[in-house]
Amino acid sequence: MEMMEPTGGELLDIRNLVTEFRSGEETVKAVNDVSFTVRKGETVGVVGESGSGKSVTALSVMRLIPNPPGKITGGEIIYHSRTKGIVDLTKVSEKDMREFRGNEIGMIFQEPMTSLNPVYTCGNQVMEAIMLHQKVTKQEAVNRTLRLFDEVLLPNPAEIFKKYPHQISGGQKQRVMIAMAMSCNPQVLIADEPTTALDVTVQKTILDLMLKLQREHDMGIIFITHDLGVIAELADKVVVMYKGRIVEQGPVMEIFANPQHPYTKGLLACRPPLNRRLHYLPTVSDFMTVADDGTITENKRTVTDIIHDVEVTPEQRRAQQEKLRAQEPMLRIENIRTWYPTQKTILGKTIAWNKAVDDVSFEVYPGETLGLVGESGCGKTTLGRTILRLIEPTEGKIIFDGKDITHLPASEMRPLRKDIQIIFQDPYSSLNPRITIGSAIMEPMRVHGIGANDKERKEKVMELLRRVNMNEAHFHRYPHEFSGGQRQRICIARALALNPRFIICDESVSALDVSVQAQVLNLLNELKKDFGFTYIFISHDLSVVKFMSDRMVVMNKGKIEEMGDADEVYANPGCEYTRKLINAIPKGELEDIRRAMVEKRMRMGIV
């Protein structure tokens, strides 16, 4: 392994990196001539659409590109190791790379469910990382793991230590991953969508924790995220990627105040605004046109022009709300309780309960989108699954289309499932890795007898793929061949395959970068308009819920804190809990960036 003496404050210098993937006769440059540096104490934010090469860049640095079909074919990744001096990570042996991974370069992966081993407890998995790289006893590793769980705000660390990944929520799994990545105090931390599954209040705490560790250890951070609000308040420098290339990079203030590339302008405009109501979110295509040869042409319309065309007036909003309320509810939830026993006597009598959903009641009208928002563990997902009878309620009634379905036997529920669908939070674990996406979409159609034969069903699937902005050629590909945003669109197509009337979207855009999120949200609204769908939209992101919803329900610890018109709840929150959620949303305004920069300089002792 070639070594040089470390110099200056640089930790990582990526020079003209090229990473290719080969599929049959086709070779795709997923990362194409990418260069940027990471210095001690610096946070570099990497943004771009799904499939832009952000995650592949991160995996290339970690040397985790599967070969075949992928391979680093060009460039250098110069790393300033605290033990080995200066090395080119593209040239070190796998044995040496294992010493760097986890110990000197930590990584928080995007999808925690697929990153955690389902057969080991959460505590054992973090302990393993500590004992692999640190010379500590088993008891010391246990103690350090419990401290880490406490630092990342996991409730009852001793209990989480003993639980398996499937026994905890998505947000809790992500916090276990963060604890694991930080367990050995790495000097470079690569965070690939690290706060995607977290609600805004926990996200703020985690980001503060990462900044604290960065200060203490002079750590460099590569922070990949779809949330430009987070980038604005966390990063020192921004790298904007598009189709494997960097189209713009520079100091965060410069990029946000005066973006030069039309793609960057589009990304900044894609965020759901909090101060106005739109019926359509601007997308990248509103700002630029891409020719078949890849040439980009800037569309000269300004953000102000586009917003003016898609803004909903107060009068239109009132008329829409009155029209919805004039109907009979499609769904009525009455005093639903979903409790889990947590403690039993020696004779098996339950003496303590986890009240995941506790006395919840509301209605949903035909054609309405009801937003369900709250922190991780508040009962949102449990309530959604209880409505679908995927989890049986302890008490209460679920009335769909005037029919009480609370205690219907499975044989009578099965035909109803055609009308009531769900789009799950994690698109990767929702798809069978062994079957093509065409087969995955056709499977429920066969079960419910939609289409006379497979030829007819295939034509319907092709139409659905086009409808969710996918290519017909994707029919024969497998889930691992798609990006996170593409997989989520596949799950939407599968939900639409049965022509449902009512859809529960459970964090269905939380894993998507902001531009793809805008496309999917627009798609869901377009499908609602065309097919008359009714949605319950579950999310921890209050800005997304506000954009999507007619009414909003705020949940906390299994109960409803407040409920009402989405705009009104945001503008005039009636309880302290809702105000806390709103205040924790990263706004991404220039004033916020200035304040964050001043605070960071003060913490670093720079006047």
PDB file of all heavy atoms in Angstrom, residues 28 35 41 44 90 113 121 228 241 248 301 327-328 345 356 394 418 479 527:
ATOM      1  N   VAL A  28     -22.946   1.790 -18.023  1.00  0.00           N
ATOM      2  CA  VAL A  28     -23.453   3.086 -17.550  1.00  0.00           C
ATOM      3  C   VAL A  28     -22.436   3.692 -16.590  1.00  0.00           C
ATOM      4  O   VAL A  28     -22.000   3.033 -15.646  1.00  0.00           O
ATOM      5  CB  VAL A  28     -24.818   2.913 -16.828  1.00  0.00           C
ATOM      6  CG1 VAL A  28     -25.290   4.249 -16.256  1.00  0.00           C
ATOM      7  CG2 VAL A  28     -25.850   2.338 -17.774  1.00  0.00           C
ATOM      8  N   SER A  35     -15.199  15.297  -8.722  1.00  0.00           N
ATOM      9  CA  SER A  35     -14.085  15.767  -7.882  1.00  0.00           C
ATOM     10  C   SER A  35     -14.603  16.724  -6.819  1.00  0.00           C
ATOM     11  O   SER A  35     -15.333  17.668  -7.135  1.00  0.00           O
ATOM     12  CB  SER A  35     -13.041  16.504  -8.735  1.00  0.00           C
ATOM     13  OG  SER A  35     -12.508  15.678  -9.738  1.00  0.00           O
ATOM     14  N   GLY A  41     -13.482  19.040  10.115  1.00  0.00           N
ATOM     15  CA  GLY A  41     -14.504  19.944  10.643  1.00  0.00           C
ATOM     16  C   GLY A  41     -15.453  20.495   9.607  1.00  0.00           C
ATOM     17  O   GLY A  41     -16.279  21.360   9.912  1.00  0.00           O
ATOM     18  N   VAL A  44     -19.811  18.584   3.851  1.00  0.00           N
ATOM     19  CA  VAL A  44     -20.096  18.750   2.423  1.00  0.00           C
ATOM     20  C   VAL A  44     -21.453  18.121   2.144  1.00  0.00           C
ATOM     21  O   VAL A  44     -21.641  16.915   2.335  1.00  0.00           O
ATOM     22  CB  VAL A  44     -19.005  18.080   1.556  1.00  0.00           C
ATOM     23  CG1 VAL A  44     -19.340  18.223   0.069  1.00  0.00           C
ATOM     24  CG2 VAL A  44     -17.641  18.689   1.857  1.00  0.00           C
ATOM     25  N   THR A  90      -8.647   3.703  -3.868  1.00  0.00           N
ATOM     26  CA  THR A  90      -8.936   2.862  -5.044  1.00  0.00           C
ATOM     27  C   THR A  90      -7.875   1.789  -5.231  1.00  0.00           C
ATOM     28  O   THR A  90      -8.089   0.840  -5.982  1.00  0.00           O
ATOM     29  CB  THR A  90      -9.021   3.711  -6.334  1.00  0.00           C
ATOM     30  OG1 THR A  90      -7.737   4.284  -6.623  1.00  0.00           O
ATOM     31  CG2 THR A  90     -10.063   4.812  -6.205  1.00  0.00           C
ATOM     32  N   MET A 113     -33.553  -0.972   7.268  1.00  0.00           N
ATOM     33  CA  MET A 113     -34.069  -2.341   7.376  1.00  0.00           C
ATOM     34  C   MET A 113     -33.206  -3.314   6.604  1.00  0.00           C
ATOM     35  O   MET A 113     -33.014  -4.456   7.018  1.00  0.00           O
ATOM     36  CB  MET A 113     -35.522  -2.394   6.859  1.00  0.00           C
ATOM     37  CG  MET A 113     -36.234  -3.698   7.173  1.00  0.00           C
ATOM     38  SD  MET A 113     -36.387  -3.991   8.953  1.00  0.00           S
ATOM     39  CE  MET A 113     -36.337  -5.762   9.024  1.00  0.00           C
ATOM     40  N   THR A 121     -29.723  -9.103  17.588  1.00  0.00           N
ATOM     41  CA  THR A 121     -30.351  -7.971  18.267  1.00  0.00           C
ATOM     42  C   THR A 121     -29.621  -6.681  17.880  1.00  0.00           C
ATOM     43  O   THR A 121     -28.456  -6.705  17.454  1.00  0.00           O
ATOM     44  CB  THR A 121     -30.302  -8.125  19.797  1.00  0.00           C
ATOM     45  OG1 THR A 121     -28.934  -8.070  20.219  1.00  0.00           O
ATOM     46  CG2 THR A 121     -30.962  -9.414  20.250  1.00  0.00           C
ATOM     47  N   LEU A 228     -33.185  19.956   1.163  1.00  0.00           N
ATOM     48  CA  LEU A 228     -32.306  21.104   1.009  1.00  0.00           C
ATOM     49  C   LEU A 228     -32.385  22.043   2.208  1.00  0.00           C
ATOM     50  O   LEU A 228     -31.475  22.827   2.446  1.00  0.00           O
ATOM     51  CB  LEU A 228     -32.659  21.849  -0.281  1.00  0.00           C
ATOM     52  CG  LEU A 228     -32.139  21.135  -1.536  1.00  0.00           C
ATOM     53  CD1 LEU A 228     -32.981  21.475  -2.745  1.00  0.00           C
ATOM     54  CD2 LEU A 228     -30.694  21.488  -1.795  1.00  0.00           C
ATOM     55  N   MET A 241     -25.321  17.163  -7.918  1.00  0.00           N
ATOM     56  CA  MET A 241     -25.045  16.132  -8.927  1.00  0.00           C
ATOM     57  C   MET A 241     -26.248  15.884  -9.825  1.00  0.00           C
ATOM     58  O   MET A 241     -27.398  15.937  -9.376  1.00  0.00           O
ATOM     59  CB  MET A 241     -24.635  14.824  -8.242  1.00  0.00           C
ATOM     60  CG  MET A 241     -23.288  14.886  -7.554  1.00  0.00           C
ATOM     61  SD  MET A 241     -22.711  13.256  -6.988  1.00  0.00           S
ATOM     62  CE  MET A 241     -22.374  12.435  -8.551  1.00  0.00           C
ATOM     63  N   GLU A 248     -22.697  21.782 -10.288  1.00  0.00           N
ATOM     64  CA  GLU A 248     -22.411  23.021  -9.559  1.00  0.00           C
ATOM     65  C   GLU A 248     -21.937  22.661  -8.155  1.00  0.00           C
ATOM     66  O   GLU A 248     -22.444  21.729  -7.544  1.00  0.00           O
ATOM     67  CB  GLU A 248     -23.682  23.876  -9.479  1.00  0.00           C
ATOM     68  CG  GLU A 248     -23.474  25.263  -8.916  1.00  0.00           C
ATOM     69  CD  GLU A 248     -24.671  26.189  -9.146  1.00  0.00           C
ATOM     70  OE1 GLU A 248     -25.690  25.744  -9.719  1.00  0.00           O
ATOM     71  OE2 GLU A 248     -24.579  27.359  -8.749  1.00  0.00           O
ATOM     72  N   ARG A 301     -38.306  30.822 -17.393  1.00  0.00           N
ATOM     73  CA  ARG A 301     -39.334  31.239 -16.432  1.00  0.00           C
ATOM     74  C   ARG A 301     -38.746  31.295 -15.025  1.00  0.00           C
ATOM     75  O   ARG A 301     -37.960  30.435 -14.629  1.00  0.00           O
ATOM     76  CB  ARG A 301     -40.511  30.271 -16.448  1.00  0.00           C
ATOM     77  CG  ARG A 301     -41.234  30.212 -17.783  1.00  0.00           C
ATOM     78  CD  ARG A 301     -42.424  29.293 -17.692  1.00  0.00           C
ATOM     79  NE  ARG A 301     -43.486  29.889 -16.907  1.00  0.00           N
ATOM     80  CZ  ARG A 301     -44.384  29.204 -16.210  1.00  0.00           C
ATOM     81  NH1 ARG A 301     -44.319  27.888 -16.182  1.00  0.00           N
ATOM     82  NH2 ARG A 301     -45.326  29.810 -15.544  1.00  0.00           N
ATOM     83  N   GLN A 327     -70.540  15.695   1.512  1.00  0.00           N
ATOM     84  CA  GLN A 327     -70.727  14.267   1.226  1.00  0.00           C
ATOM     85  C   GLN A 327     -70.810  13.454   2.523  1.00  0.00           C
ATOM     86  O   GLN A 327     -70.470  13.932   3.594  1.00  0.00           O
ATOM     87  CB  GLN A 327     -69.553  13.749   0.396  1.00  0.00           C
ATOM     88  CG  GLN A 327     -69.233  14.546  -0.855  1.00  0.00           C
ATOM     89  CD  GLN A 327     -67.929  14.087  -1.472  1.00  0.00           C
ATOM     90  OE1 GLN A 327     -67.923  13.228  -2.334  1.00  0.00           O
ATOM     91  NE2 GLN A 327     -66.824  14.649  -1.021  1.00  0.00           N
ATOM     92  N   GLU A 328     -71.256  12.209   2.355  1.00  0.00           N
ATOM     93  CA  GLU A 328     -71.182  11.251   3.455  1.00  0.00           C
ATOM     94  C   GLU A 328     -69.751  10.729   3.550  1.00  0.00           C
ATOM     95  O   GLU A 328     -69.112  10.488   2.519  1.00  0.00           O
ATOM     96  CB  GLU A 328     -72.133  10.068   3.209  1.00  0.00           C
ATOM     97  CG  GLU A 328     -73.587  10.362   3.524  1.00  0.00           C
ATOM     98  CD  GLU A 328     -73.802  10.608   5.012  1.00  0.00           C
ATOM     99  OE1 GLU A 328     -73.346   9.804   5.835  1.00  0.00           O
ATOM    100  OE2 GLU A 328     -74.417  11.643   5.344  1.00  0.00           O
ATOM    101  N   THR A 345     -48.555 -11.400  34.221  1.00  0.00           N
ATOM    102  CA  THR A 345     -48.293 -12.138  35.461  1.00  0.00           C
ATOM    103  C   THR A 345     -47.859 -13.550  35.103  1.00  0.00           C
ATOM    104  O   THR A 345     -47.917 -13.970  33.944  1.00  0.00           O
ATOM    105  CB  THR A 345     -49.557 -12.199  36.336  1.00  0.00           C
ATOM    106  OG1 THR A 345     -50.544 -12.974  35.647  1.00  0.00           O
ATOM    107  CG2 THR A 345     -50.100 -10.811  36.629  1.00  0.00           C
ATOM    108  N   ALA A 356     -50.503   1.935  21.741  1.00  0.00           N
ATOM    109  CA  ALA A 356     -50.001   2.489  20.479  1.00  0.00           C
ATOM    110  C   ALA A 356     -51.014   3.428  19.841  1.00  0.00           C
ATOM    111  O   ALA A 356     -50.665   4.490  19.321  1.00  0.00           O
ATOM    112  CB  ALA A 356     -49.653   1.358  19.513  1.00  0.00           C
ATOM    113  N   THR A 394     -57.947  -3.367  19.319  1.00  0.00           N
ATOM    114  CA  THR A 394     -58.356  -3.866  20.637  1.00  0.00           C
ATOM    115  C   THR A 394     -59.812  -3.497  20.915  1.00  0.00           C
ATOM    116  O   THR A 394     -60.568  -4.285  21.464  1.00  0.00           O
ATOM    117  CB  THR A 394     -57.440  -3.268  21.732  1.00  0.00           C
ATOM    118  OG1 THR A 394     -56.074  -3.484  21.359  1.00  0.00           O
ATOM    119  CG2 THR A 394     -57.699  -3.907  23.084  1.00  0.00           C
ATOM    120  N   LYS A 418     -59.170  -5.109  -2.402  1.00  0.00           N
ATOM    121  CA  LYS A 418     -59.034  -4.547  -3.744  1.00  0.00           C
ATOM    122  C   LYS A 418     -59.339  -3.040  -3.732  1.00  0.00           C
ATOM    123  O   LYS A 418     -58.752  -2.264  -4.473  1.00  0.00           O
ATOM    124  CB  LYS A 418     -59.998  -5.277  -4.700  1.00  0.00           C
ATOM    125  CG  LYS A 418     -59.877  -4.854  -6.154  1.00  0.00           C
ATOM    126  CD  LYS A 418     -60.677  -5.776  -7.042  1.00  0.00           C
ATOM    127  CE  LYS A 418     -62.164  -5.589  -6.838  1.00  0.00           C
ATOM    128  NZ  LYS A 418     -62.645  -4.280  -7.372  1.00  0.00           N
ATOM    129  N   PRO A 479     -35.881  -5.463  -8.489  1.00  0.00           N
ATOM    130  CA  PRO A 479     -35.882  -4.277  -7.616  1.00  0.00           C
ATOM    131  C   PRO A 479     -34.508  -3.659  -7.373  1.00  0.00           C
ATOM    132  O   PRO A 479     -34.380  -2.444  -7.294  1.00  0.00           O
ATOM    133  CB  PRO A 479     -36.485  -4.813  -6.305  1.00  0.00           C
ATOM    134  CG  PRO A 479     -37.398  -5.914  -6.740  1.00  0.00           C
ATOM    135  CD  PRO A 479     -36.711  -6.561  -7.907  1.00  0.00           C
ATOM    136  N   LEU A 527     -53.305  11.568  -9.892  1.00  0.00           N
ATOM    137  CA  LEU A 527     -54.077  10.326  -9.880  1.00  0.00           C
ATOM    138  C   LEU A 527     -55.359  10.491  -9.069  1.00  0.00           C
ATOM    139  O   LEU A 527     -56.417   9.963  -9.425  1.00  0.00           O
ATOM    140  CB  LEU A 527     -53.232   9.189  -9.296  1.00  0.00           C
ATOM    141  CG  LEU A 527     -52.005   8.775 -10.122  1.00  0.00           C
ATOM    142  CD1 LEU A 527     -51.092   7.876  -9.315  1.00  0.00           C
ATOM    143  CD2 LEU A 527     -52.421   8.098 -11.424  1.00  0.00           C
TER     144      LEU A 527
END
